[in-house]
Amino acid sequence: MPNDTYTPPKIWQWEQGSGGKFANINRPVSGATHEKALPMGKHPLQLYSLATPNGVKVTILLEELLEAGFAEAEYDAWLINIMEGEQFSSGFVAVNPNSKIPALLDNSTSPPTRLFESGSMMLYLAEKFGAFIPTAPAQRTECLNWLFWQMGSAPILGGGFGHFYAYAPEKYEYPINRYTMEIKRQLDVLDKHLAKHRFMAGDEYTIADMAIWPWYGALIKNEVYEAAEFIAAHEYQHVIRWTDDIAQRPAVQRGRMVNRAWGEPHEQLHERHAASDFALRTQDKLEE
């Protein structure tokens, strides 16, 4: 840490140039910055997202529902480029006033049901289709315990550790140490739990696994922040076993491709409107 310390002013003022990688889209006010309607496909479920961990949670669940035979879970997925500020369009803000991906619109209800916050979407879809959430009270509660654990813990991983370790314009020892200590504690919580259970809620694969896997599975496999060596990811053997098991599921492999706009072209499906898109409309096919 430098010798000079920061003394907060009596009243904070926004400096638009600060904020590191995301400075151009971070701002201290909410609401739309421009008028633009959202596109609308033919399916009742309309998803507006990007394949960040929060977005992947929902596309995995939708693909798992389809894999399980719920044809009514067919959906259109539209790419929202958050680095270009598309989450601040009037249409997006109407669905999600918080201007964060993902956002979901269920047109099978009258009036349509808007959903924002990935945990809310997962609970809504699991209850709507009666799948991937236990029905017995004790098991259901355990599933929700871990679902909400993820909602409370991931901001420490993403906004805390990820920001200061990978994205902040300057690296400082104190915040990196502070957040590294906390995410290693979280990984230890997961590792000890998964030493005794196949999945987060026991023997049954649920929305709790789908919510936690995109964040902590990606971290442990060095797919976010390039920090696996730094955090000694190899120490968490039970988390690794669980991560690898889930990664083998076909619906998970499809779900992580939806709204993906980086990486290998054959793993990118910018928009998803039909099951055939995975074979016909990945970026490698569109670029041929």
Side-chain angles (χ1 to χ4, degrees):
M1 298 276 300
N3 291 327
D4 56 321
T5 58
Y6 171 66
T7 301
K10 289 185 176 181
I11 300 175
W12 180 83
Q13 298 292 324
W14 180 31
E15 295 181 10
Q16 286 187 257
S18 66
K21 180 177 179 179
F22 301 98
N24 66 320
I25 59 171
N26 289 338
R27 58 198 182 104
V29 294
S30 63
T33 61
H34 59 283
E35 291 291 324
K36 184 178 180 180
L38 288 174
M40 196 70 64
K42 64 180 180 179
H43 301 300
L45 295 175
Q46 298 293 305
L47 180 68
Y48 306 94
S49 191
L50 183 68
T52 67
N54 283 335
V56 167
K57 297 177 204 174
V58 179
T59 50
I60 285 176
L61 175 53
L62 288 166
E63 290 298 327
E64 289 283 11
L65 288 166
L66 292 169
E67 183 89 4
F70 294 96
E72 298 84 359
E74 270 292 355
Y75 67 104
D76 293 282
W78 305 91
L79 180 66
I80 299 296
N81 188 332
I82 62 173
M83 299 306 293
E84 297 297 325
E86 293 180 357
Q87 70 275 32
F88 299 116
S89 73
S90 57
F92 192 93
V93 171
V95 180
N96 185 351
N98 197 39
S99 292
K100 302 288 185 181
I101 62 94
L104 180 66
L105 197 63
D106 184 357
N107 289 319
S108 71
T109 65
S110 184
T113 300
R114 75 172 188 179
L115 293 118
F116 57 94
E117 295 300 322
S118 57
S120 176
M121 292 178 204
M122 299 187 81
L123 185 56
Y124 176 88
L125 291 169
E127 291 184 333
K128 180 182 179 74
F129 294 102
F132 301 111
I133 186 168
T135 55
Q139 287 74 27
R140 175 185 169 86
T141 300
E142 184 70 0
C143 172
L144 295 181
N145 285 342
W146 288 107
L147 177 66
F148 288 105
W149 176 89
Q150 187 277 317
M151 303 303 151
S153 297
I156 302 295
L157 172 53
F161 175 79
H163 177 78
F164 286 105
Y165 182 80
Y167 299 138
E170 297 174 327
K171 286 182 167 48
Y172 292 113
E173 182 180 1
Y174 174 78
I176 291 175
N177 281 348
R178 170 65 181 86
Y179 288 112
T180 301
M181 177 178 65
E182 176 58 17
I183 64 160
K184 284 182 70 67
R185 189 194 67 80
Q186 292 175 1
L187 286 167
D188 194 48
V189 169
L190 290 175
D191 203 59
K192 287 174 177 173
H193 179 73
L194 290 166
K196 300 177 182 178
H197 306 279
R198 182 183 178 192
F199 296 114
M200 295 309 304
D203 293 331
E204 184 178 345
Y205 173 65
T206 69
I207 54 175
D209 299 284
M210 300 178 208
I212 295 169
W213 184 84
W215 279 106
Y216 293 89
L219 177 68
I220 216 79
K221 288 295 185 178
N222 208 40
E223 294 174 0
V224 290
Y225 314 136
E226 297 183 353
E229 181 180 8
F230 179 71
I231 63 169
H234 66 277
E235 295 176 351
Y236 306 102
Q237 288 298 310
H238 303 292
V239 179
I240 292 171
R241 184 271 307 163
W242 168 83
T243 297
D244 290 342
D245 284 352
I246 292 176
Q248 298 303 311
R249 299 179 68 89
V252 170
Q253 294 171 9
R254 294 195 303 272
R256 67 187 302 272
M257 293 170 61
V258 178
N259 298 144
R260 188 176 182 87
W262 57 86
E264 294 297 325
H266 71 277
E267 295 180 338
Q268 298 182 37
L269 184 62
H270 289 191
E271 293 184 6
R272 188 265 189 218
H273 305 290
S276 60
D277 290 346
F278 292 99
L280 302 176
R281 298 191 59 79
T282 50
Q283 282 304 106
D284 58 320
K285 301 293 196 309
L286 296 181
E287 292 169 2
E288 287 179 353

